[in-house]
Amino acid sequence: MRGLWIAIRKKDFERIRKTGHDLKGSGGAYGLDGLSNLGTALEAAAGKKDGDLIEQLLARLEEKLASVELRASSPEHHDTAAKKAAGITTSDSTQARRG
């Protein structure tokens, strides 16, 4: 989220548009219609370079993300998901254990 707030200050509407587009697809893929709808609105607002609306949508997005509860079937899934979110590959993890 911090990156999006920085992007709006820099008027980097293309980055915001792309992020909105990605959020739209990801939200839809996981059945999170509220996030998908915010992504759609964010993409459209960035296309119109409507900074005020983008700020409102980012505030709503922060609220929405704070309310999302992630559930997984096993502790191993949590570990894998956390590594993926952090950009850590399996080979990175293996090398870290080997020292």
Side-chain angles (χ1 to χ4, degrees), residues 6-41:
I6 291 169
I8 190 63
R9 281 198 307 267
K10 292 182 175 182
K11 299 188 185 303
D12 187 352
F13 295 108
E14 182 58 18
R15 178 176 180 190
I16 296 165
R17 188 197 64 74
K18 287 180 182 178
T19 301
H21 179 81
D22 291 346
L23 183 60
K24 175 177 64 174
S26 296
Y30 289 101
L32 302 171
D33 294 337
L35 289 177
S36 185
N37 292 339
L38 279 171
T40 299

Side-chain angles (χ1 to χ4, degrees), residues 46-60:
K48 295 177 183 176
K49 299 183 179 180
D50 187 340
D52 291 336
L53 179 56
I54 291 169
E55 287 183 9
Q56 292 172 18
L57 292 168
L58 290 180
R60 287 179 47 203

Side-chain angles (χ1 to χ4, degrees), residues 59-74:
R60 287 179 47 203
L61 180 58
E62 283 182 328
E63 292 172 11
K64 193 70 155 169
L65 291 176
S67 71
V68 173
E69 180 181 336
L70 299 178
R71 297 181 188 176
S73 58
S74 69

